[in-house]
Each structure stands twice: as structure tokens, then as C-alpha cells.
Amino acid sequence: MPHRPAVLPLIAVLCFIPFFAGAAPHVPTDDSHVLERLPFKPNDPVAEELRQMRAELQRNPKNLTAAVRLARRYYSLVGEEGDPRYLGYAQAALAPWWTAPDPPTDVLILRASLGQFRHDFAGALADLGQVIEREPGNTEARTLRAIIHIVQARYDQAKTDCRAMRQDAELIATGCEAMVDGLTGNADAAYRTLGDTLKRHPKASAPEKLWVHIRLAELAERLQRFDVAELHYRQALEFDITDGFLLAAYADLLLDLKRPADVVNLLKDKVRSDVLLLRLAFAERALNMPVAKEHEAALAARFEAAQRRGEAVHQQEEARFALYTEKDAKKALALAQDNWKVQREPRDARIFLEAGIAAKDAKAAQPVLQWLSESKIEDRYLNGLGRQLQGGGK
């Protein structure tokens, strides 16, 4: 059994479900087949790292340790670059075990991680359930499963997994519970508890601290403590770890605070990721920058290409584009409706409600209004949208 590295690299990427879910990537079957030159500069240390890891695996394609190491590295690059093509390379590295009914634990966890990116939540949950049946204390599997439950608004099930990690991973377990509490009427207490727990773990790894600061920022933002939220985002950035989720979340806050110039400075070199390009284009449009038209055209082409391929995993982002760039409220509402069937996080609720208001269609947004009521979420902006949609004022 290969050594299992720290849990957070996989958890951090999994947190991108709503942000970086992408097309089911092509899986290469021949190591000599060049699909595309990936965006590395000459002498890039990441390119050299991958070259060495691939060479090791090519010497023995059934070397499980080497395969898992390479697959995890490709998977981490999805979070760093926002490029789903790396998922196909990760799957290819695990080819000898990929379709096995009872593969090694590390393969099951990676298969589940890649599955959720393709919105195969049922398959991912089945794989994680198999891991937890073998190893009830597997923190990685527990956390991945909890986050999938959170994305799909199954909060009781998520909290069960969070609590199961308390003994072996207090900081991660507390962050996991804070995510649930922040969605179910206990955001203020969750913020204080997680902050205190972080102070008790000064020796936590940089990825762990980054992950916790993002959770704290989300909680503060939900309570409209925007200065506190920004402080946490900036503290997370100081770890100098490339993190697409962090960039997208921070950019959204800056856009809400009417600071588009700061968004441009943050994302100006991040045009390969559709998710980050969308936010960059919004900021450029607000600043009347000529390049905005070019980036908007690129996004329109990418969304159209995805539709032609029958893909429907970027609907939240496409709904935002339809509403705020194309000014097509009905299209945005339809996309938001379909997206809500799969993932039900605050950002999914937000575009659904905003599109419902723009389309003057409260009936269509009833699923979100029901979620607002049942979850007891304290997000003041979302609750304000709900009241506005129902005619109760802004």
C-alpha cells in the first residue's frame, strides 16, 4: 500500500466542485500519443517534475506507488490551473486499476475525486463508502464525502462524516463542521469555533491553514463582515500556494465591493480557466477595458462548444454570463434551474435568485426559496434576494 500524503491537497481541489467542474476529459491510452502541449514554459519545474514522474511510471506501469503519486499531482494541477484535461491524465495513470471492482484504497479515493468533477456524485459516493467500510477512520474519504453531501445540501449526513474525524484530525473536522453550521443557521458560532481551533494548531500545514482561512472568509462574508473576509482571503494568498478556488472566491468578493481594478490585478494572467476568465471579464467590462469584448467572445465560444458536446457542468457560470453579459434573464434562469438539480450551494442559490428576479419569475425559483427557509442560512444577501423575489422588499 503506498504512503498516503496529507489529506488537504485532495480536499482543496474537491472544494472546486462548483467552480471547476469541467468536461469529461479524454483519457489517453497510449503514452506516445501527444494530445496537446500543456501550458508550461521552457525549463518549467512543474514540467520537469511531471516528466520524471511519468518516466518512473513508464518503467513499470503497474507500480501503484508511482501511479498514485502521478495521478495526485495531475489532480492538484486541476485546482492550480482550472484545466480539466489533467483529469484524463490522472485517470490514465491509474488505468491498470481503474475498472477493478475492488481497487486499492488510494485508487478508490482518486476515482471518487475525479468522478465528482464529472458530476458523477453517485459513483463518487459509492467509492468513498467502500473506503470507509474498509477504514472507518479514513480522514480523506470522510472529508471528501462530507463535502459532496454539503454541495448537495444533505447537511445531516455531512455532519456525521465531519464528526467522525474529530479524534484524528481536529482542525479539518472543525472546518468541515463549520461549513455545515455556516449553511444551517450557526455561522457566527462556526466562525468563532473554527478561528479558535486554528489558533490551537499553529503547526498545521500551509495547505491546511489556507483551506481554513478560506472557510473563515466564507463565513465572514456570509455575515457581511467584508473587511474580515478580505483579511482571511489575503492571509490565504500569503501562503503562495496556487489555488483557483481562493482566486475565484476572492474575486467574487471584490466584484461585490465594486473593486474591479483589484480583480484585474488578481486575475490578469488567469485566462485559461473559464471560471477565472468570467470574473476577469466582468471586471474588465466594469472598467470599460477594450479587452473585455475579446474575453467575453472567448467565453461565449467556450460555452457554445460545451453545449454542442452535450456537457452541462458549467451551468452556474454560464447562467451568470447569460444574465450579466448577454442580458438574457430567461436563459440564465433555465441554466440556474438545471444547475440547482445537481449542486445547491450559496453561489448556486444566488444566481438562481438573481435570474428569477430579472425574469420576474418567483414560481421558478421556489426550490431555492424553500432551501432558504429549511436551511436557515444566515446569508443576508441571499435572504434579501428571497424577500425581493417574493415581493417583500429588497
Side-chain angles (χ1 to χ4, degrees):
M1 180 68 63
H3 172 68
R4 184 171 298 118
V7 63
L8 254 294
L10 274 183
I11 295 174
V13 179
L14 185 62
C15 287
F16 309 159
I17 291 173
F19 275 157
F20 292 111
H26 177 71
V27 181
T29 57
D30 184 344
D31 289 335
S32 65
H33 182 201
V34 178
L35 297 178
E36 180 176 353
R37 298 295 180 185
L38 293 174
F40 297 116
K41 298 177 182 179
N43 302 317
D44 188 300
V46 175
E48 177 59 22
E49 175 192 14
L50 290 171
R51 187 195 66 75
Q52 292 180 6
M53 295 171 80
R54 286 195 302 266
E56 181 183 7
L57 184 58
Q58 286 170 355
R59 286 192 291 271
N60 180 6
K62 293 187 178 181
N63 182 332
L64 179 60
T65 300
V68 167
R69 185 185 301 120
L70 178 59
R72 284 178 178 268
R73 187 65 184 102
Y74 277 132
Y75 188 59
S76 71
L77 286 169
V78 180
E80 295 175 17
E81 304 290 339
D83 189 337
R85 289 173 299 173
Y86 293 115
L87 299 178
Y89 294 111
Q91 179 175 333
L94 301 171
W97 307 274
W98 188 259
T99 59
D102 191 31
T105 293
D106 287 297
V107 175
L108 277 170
I109 291 175
L110 280 160
R111 194 167 73 181
S113 303
L114 272 63
Q116 55 78 22
F117 261 91
R118 297 162 183 167
H119 284 183
D120 179 15
F121 294 124
L125 290 172
D127 282 340
L128 294 172
Q130 192 172 345
V131 173
I132 292 167
E133 185 176 349
R134 291 179 189 172
E135 305 174 17
N138 190 300
T139 298
E140 195 167 34
R142 287 280 186 185
T143 310
L144 299 181
R145 191 168 74 172
I147 293 173
I148 292 176
H149 286 320
I150 290 170
V151 169
Q152 298 199 306
R154 294 192 291 264
Y155 303 125
D156 289 342
Q157 291 163 276
K159 203 150 193 177
T160 297
D161 278 326
C162 296
R163 288 172 173 167
M165 298 184 288
R166 280 180 180 171
Q167 183 174 350
D168 297 324
E170 183 193 19
L171 182 58
I172 301 308
T174 305
C176 181
E177 286 194 65
M179 293 176 75
V180 178
D181 289 340
L183 294 165
T184 55
N186 296 291
D188 186 64
Y191 177 86
R192 287 185 277 106
T193 299
L194 182 55
D196 290 344
T197 306
L198 178 60
K199 291 176 184 177
R200 294 201 305 272
H201 290 79
K203 295 184 179 180
S205 69
E208 287 173 333
K209 289 179 179 179
L210 180 147
W211 186 79
V212 170
H213 275 295
I214 294 174
R215 307 284 78 77
L216 289 167
E218 290 173 326
L219 291 165
E221 194 172 350
R222 197 157 296 147
L223 295 167
Q224 294 194 326
R225 300 171 186 169
F226 301 127
D227 56 338
V228 175
E230 181 170 11
L231 176 62
H232 286 297
Y233 284 133
R234 294 183 69 84
Q235 287 177 307
L237 288 169
E238 288 176 2
F239 291 108
D240 198 26
I241 298 173
T242 304
D243 188 303
F245 184 98
L246 168 60
L247 294 174
Y250 186 25
D252 280 341
L253 174 62
L254 293 172
L255 287 170
D256 284 344
L257 296 177
K258 311 298 183 186
R259 290 164 52 187
D262 290 336
V263 176
V264 172
N265 288 334
L266 183 69
L267 303 181
K268 58 187 175 183
D269 299 321
K270 306 296 182 181
V271 297
R272 291 187 64 85
S273 163
D274 294 357
V275 170
L276 299 182
L277 180 59
L278 177 72
R279 289 151 174 83
L280 177 61
F282 284 160
E284 292 166 340
R285 174 60 59 189
L287 295 169
N288 294 313
M289 296 176 66
V291 73
K293 292 183 179 179
E294 175 186 336
H295 287 159
E296 289 167 356
L299 282 166
R302 294 181 193 183
F303 289 137
E304 182 180 355
Q307 289 175 354
R308 286 199 304 267
R309 293 191 298 267
E311 296 161 4
V313 290
H314 260 176
Q315 289 176 315
Q316 180 216 119
E317 314 299 330
E318 189 175 358
R320 289 181 66 178
F321 185 77
L323 184 60
Y324 293 110
T325 301
E326 298 178 326
K327 309 298 182 183
D328 190 336
K330 290 185 177 180
K331 177 181 178 182
L333 182 58
L335 288 163
Q337 283 178 302
D338 286 342
N339 177 66
W340 188 256
K341 296 173 184 176
V342 180
Q343 49 195 41
R344 301 174 181 178
E345 289 204 289
R347 61 185 61 88
D348 304 300
R350 174 171 174 166
I351 184 57
F352 202 155
L353 292 169
E354 289 173 341
I357 290 169
K360 299 180 180 179
D361 191 343
K363 183 178 180 180
Q366 280 301 312
V368 183
L369 296 174
Q370 182 178 353
W371 172 78
L372 285 174
S373 175
E374 292 178 351
S375 70
K376 297 182 175 60
I377 188 171
E378 297 163 279
D379 192 304
R380 297 172 188 175
Y381 181 74
L382 288 182
N383 284 310
L385 290 177
R387 290 192 298 271
Q388 185 178 349
L389 187 60
Q390 295 177 94
K394 295 184 180 181

